[in-house]
Amino acid sequence: MTKETTSAQRSRNTTLRDVAKAAGVDVSTVSRVLKNDKDVRTSAETRQRIIEAAERLKYRANPLARALKTAQSRTLLIVVPQIENPVFASAILGAEAEARARGYVLLVAYDQNGSAASVLERVSQSSLIEGVIIASFDEDDSLRQSIAAMNRPYVVINRVLPGDVPCVAVDTCAASAIGVRHLIDLGHRRIGHVAGRLGRFNGNARRQGWEEAMSAAGLDPDPQLVAEAGYDPERVPAAVDRLLERKVTAIHAATLLTGAATIAHLHKLGLDVPGDISVVTMHDDLLARVVYPEITTVGLPTSEMGHEAVRMLVDQLGMPSDAASQRPPVLLLAPGNLVVRGSASSLKI
Amino acid sequence: MTKETTSAQRSRNTTLRDVAKAAGVDVSTVSRVLKNDKDVRTSAETRQRIIEAAERLKYRANPLARALKTAQSRTLLIVVPQIENPVFASAILGAEAEARARGYVLLVAYDQNGSAASVLERVSQSSLIEGVIIASFDEDDSLRQSIAAMNRPYVVINRVLPGDVPCVAVDTCAASAIGVRHLIDLGHRRIGHVAGRLGRFNGNARRQGWEEAMSAAGLDPDPQLVAEAGYDPERVPAAVDRLLERKVTAIHAATLLTGAATIAHLHKLGLDVPGDISVVTMHDDLLARVVYPEITTVGLPTSEMGHEAVRMLVDQLGMPSDAASQRPPVLLLAPGNLVVRGSASSLKI
DNA sequence: TGCCTCTGCGAAAACGTTTGGGCAACTTTC
DNA sequence: GAAAGTTGCCCAAACGTTTTCGCAGAGGCA
């Protein structure tokens, strides 16, 4: 079997020099023609010859050499705290598509137990990465320092940070409000909120959305109706129990995962969903449709978030540094639509 | 338009030359010392000076330049058909950790609607990627041709392919059997199988595991007890209905997702799980614990799969081509343990 | 004819590494 | 005390691009 593995015997790729030789011109000319240089100044005839030769020899520019020369690797990095979280998976997907469309390559790095700092540190000194998208949970100073030290353009996603930090996030406050309003429209008055991590951007925003929707409907956003569970399904039962003590008829969960756990716990207690308690969630995903009842939830444009992030990043890359401050650096994406399924119904009196 | 690339104002990284100047030696000496060259021949004193200078200047070798020179980019690529599938997410996680530990960078690419071919095509001519891990669903010829044309070492994961193809997969046949045997041990005799994609590696293997466990227990592996649902939750209800007609008392689902959908559908029909029907699944994941009842399943070493894949790939990279054929190129990972939760119980007569 | 401006292209210097080949000085050997 | 071997380092040529500079020749203008 022809099993050529090591780089040593791998056939050499065709280079600029090969094309130049084939077309009978200098490498510089080939480079210019193939790059479609603006001030290109070549005869149509020569250009034709070069293009044909390149075609025939299947020439592809070596990205390494190009990057070395231009200090532009056309490579972006996205740092995520976890990949199994559907929100991040979806964001990565969107970012990858956008990056690919723009001729960039997207690298994925994981920030398990705060290792983002080390990743960024490695990035900072190598010229491999042109820009970074950061989706890390960490909001402490170490990460922020790493970001600053990195000395590369970046955009933060999934949260908005104070200061002049470019961010793109979903307006989860609004998303929350939509879900809660749906419950109100169904006649519910005592609506509990299983909160995410309070103190963090999304946790706070979602809680606030609940609060605003309640207030807007003239209902009391009683803090007693909020029970924090973070992103941890293990903490959901206790939270739900507390809410049940408060005689809620509906529960609004801050994440799809905790929402599913909420329904599971209600079932465990022998309660019917939505017969006894209605449940509404946030973020739409396969998970919402493999439980019974299927979950009513409001979609989040997480994939768009990825798209927008690389769009912003690439814009930033193409701009001289002084112009960078001119555009509004934070983008808050409108939430998606309410997807009505089976986990919420009108209040039976 | 002013084409002022941002790189202009970004501070230049410290280079080999800077270190050389600081230490008062030649760049070549610095290079050798820092690489810990085997036949290094430098005085301890000089070496000390160089190391200190490098430390002080925070020198990090430019991976681009190194790759250009050595044709070794220390970059691996993993091609996955979907990232939201927990199996792949977990495999990526494992692969990334192993790659990082070995000083490699792992790139992730998506093979949405068969775009892997184009990804591989781009790879083939650039010297950026040293080796590829392929987890694509596609088993048609176009992908296989792209792989061959790529002319780079690779390993296929999540399935074993015929021929001399290096593969690492989980022994899902054995995993299946474990789950089915658990049901048998609980007293079940009529056990249905909600199959994955029959005709594909994993679909077949899991079905075969069910069959073998049934036969081993002296039960009839009646083909009527098998209903295919692929990986698509939408197809689960019909499959479950068919199984119910066959009077099964337990269902073994080929994937966690379809298993969850199975439970959901049973609930929808007003059946109790595991009171009326027991359900056992494969692959352990958060999802198994946010539904009620929590799902009894057998763990799959998907993360190990990623680990092993890069281990094999890196071994391959370091070997002369003739030695490559010596080691057994396919690795079948033993399944994990049965995780008993609440979705299966002993048969009530 | 002399001068100037375009055109079309080549020469060569980078980018930051790695690496083979050398060359002194110093040590051993006879 | 000279030949031979060792040690410690430097020189320079790559790797495959991009890009600045410059140089011939062609044409325009006086």
Side-chain angles (χ1 to χ4, degrees), chain B residues 223-243:
Chain B
Q224 302 271 38
L225 292 179
V226 175
E228 181 176 0
Y231 299 96
D232 184 3
E234 306 278 348
R235 293 176 58 194
V236 167
V240 170
D241 287 343
R242 274 194 41 204
L243 260 23

Side-chain angles (χ1 to χ4, degrees), chain A residues 35 41 89 92 116 140 147 163 187 227 240 245 251 262 279 294 317 328 344:
Chain A
K35 289 213 64 156
R41 290 185 9 195
I92 292 176
D140 63 6
I147 294 175
V240 170
E245 287 171 15
I251 292 178
T262 296
V279 176
E294 295 189 12
L317 290 174

Side-chain angles (χ1 to χ4, degrees), chain B residues 202-218:
Chain B
N202 280 303
N204 281 349
R206 293 172 195 204
R207 183 210 146 108
Q208 191 186 336
W210 166 83
E211 202 169 313
E212 287 179 3
M214 293 289 276
S215 299

Side-chain angles (χ1 to χ4, degrees), chain A:
Chain A
M1 293 294 151
T2 49
K3 191 74 167 280
E4 359 232 295
T5 48
T6 58
S7 56
Q9 58 246 96
R10 199 138 44 228
S11 64
R12 207 174 55 82
N13 283 333
T14 102
T15 143
L16 217 43
R17 193 146 40 212
D18 300 332
V19 179
K21 200 165 293 174
V25 295
D26 188 82
V27 288
S28 56
T29 309
V30 179
S31 173
R32 278 185 272 253
V33 166
L34 261 31
K35 289 213 64 156
N36 244 325
D37 211 333
K38 326 120 221 329
D39 38 34
V40 61
R41 290 185 9 195
T42 52
S43 68
E45 178 192 7
T46 315
R47 162 189 303 257
Q48 190 58 27
R49 227 171 347 127
I50 291 175
I51 292 186
E52 271 171 11
E55 193 80 19
R56 185 155 38 83
L57 298 176
K58 293 187 194 307
Y59 170 77
R60 322 283 326 248
N62 182 330
L64 258 39
R66 179 182 306 210
L68 179 58
K69 186 58 186 156
T70 63
Q72 293 186 1
S73 58
R74 306 233 122 204
T75 301
L76 270 24
L77 176 77
I78 183 167
V79 181
V80 294
Q82 37 177 229
I83 197 177
E84 60 277 15
N85 183 326
V87 170
F88 294 121
S90 167
I92 292 176
L93 233 47
E96 208 273 339
E98 183 71 29
R100 189 203 307 252
R102 291 173 175 251
Y104 281 77
V105 164
L106 183 73
L107 238 102
V108 182
Y110 304 97
D111 167 33
Q112 292 144 290
N113 48 51
S115 69
S118 84
V119 171
L120 293 180
E121 207 270 335
R122 297 202 314 184
V123 163
S124 70
Q125 277 281 336
S126 91
S127 41
L128 225 190
I129 308 289
E130 282 191 52
V132 183
I133 297 173
I134 302 167
S136 185
F137 276 148
D138 268 333
E139 292 179 349
D140 63 6
D141 274 349
S142 84
L143 181 61
R144 205 163 304 186
Q145 279 171 9
S146 316
I147 294 175
M150 178 179 65
N151 198 25
R152 291 250 184 310
Y154 66 91
V155 1
V156 171
I157 65 170
N158 203 39
R159 61 179 16 80
V160 348
L161 258 33
D164 275 345
V165 180
C167 298
V168 21
V170 176
D171 188 350
T172 47
C173 178
S176 237
I178 291 176
V180 174
R181 193 162 52 237
H182 177 60
L183 289 170
I184 293 172
D185 289 346
L186 290 172
H188 293 277
R189 291 298 170 263
R190 292 195 64 82
I191 301 169
H193 176 64
V194 173
R197 291 175 79 155
L198 296 176
R200 295 291 175 88
F201 176 79
N202 280 304
N204 281 347
R206 293 172 194 203
R207 183 211 146 109
Q208 190 187 337
W210 166 84
E211 202 169 311
E212 288 178 3
M214 292 290 276
S215 299
L219 301 174
D220 178 25
D222 184 357
Q224 301 272 36
L225 292 179
V226 175
E228 182 176 0
Y231 299 97
D232 185 3
E234 306 278 349
R235 293 176 59 193
V236 166
V240 170
D241 287 344
R242 273 193 44 203
L243 260 24
L244 255 23
E245 287 171 15
R246 309 291 170 198
K247 306 287 182 208
V248 301
T249 64
I251 292 178
H252 176 254
T255 75
L256 181 58
L257 198 68
T258 51
T262 296
I263 294 177
H265 185 60
L266 292 172
H267 281 161
K268 186 173 187 177
L269 297 178
L271 295 169
D272 184 50
V273 177
D276 296 319
I277 305 276
S278 285
V279 176
V280 164
T281 295
M282 201 167 313
H283 184 62
D284 196 11
D285 186 81
L286 227 41
L287 168 56
R289 297 187 300 161
V290 295
V291 298
Y292 183 78
E294 295 189 12
I295 301 179
T296 293
T297 190
V298 7
L300 259 29
T302 49
S303 165
E304 315 286 328
M305 189 166 67
H307 270 96
E308 289 300 337
V310 340
R311 200 167 299 168
M312 266 173 79
L313 196 51
V314 172
D315 281 359
Q316 213 180 128
L317 290 174
M319 264 190 306
S321 60
D322 51 344
S325 52
Q326 297 183 8
R327 30 177 16 239
V330 0
L331 188 60
L332 207 57
L333 267 28
N337 294 324
L338 178 74
V339 182
V340 177
R341 297 207 178 89
S343 64
S345 66
S346 48
L347 182 64
K348 284 144 192 139
I349 322 175

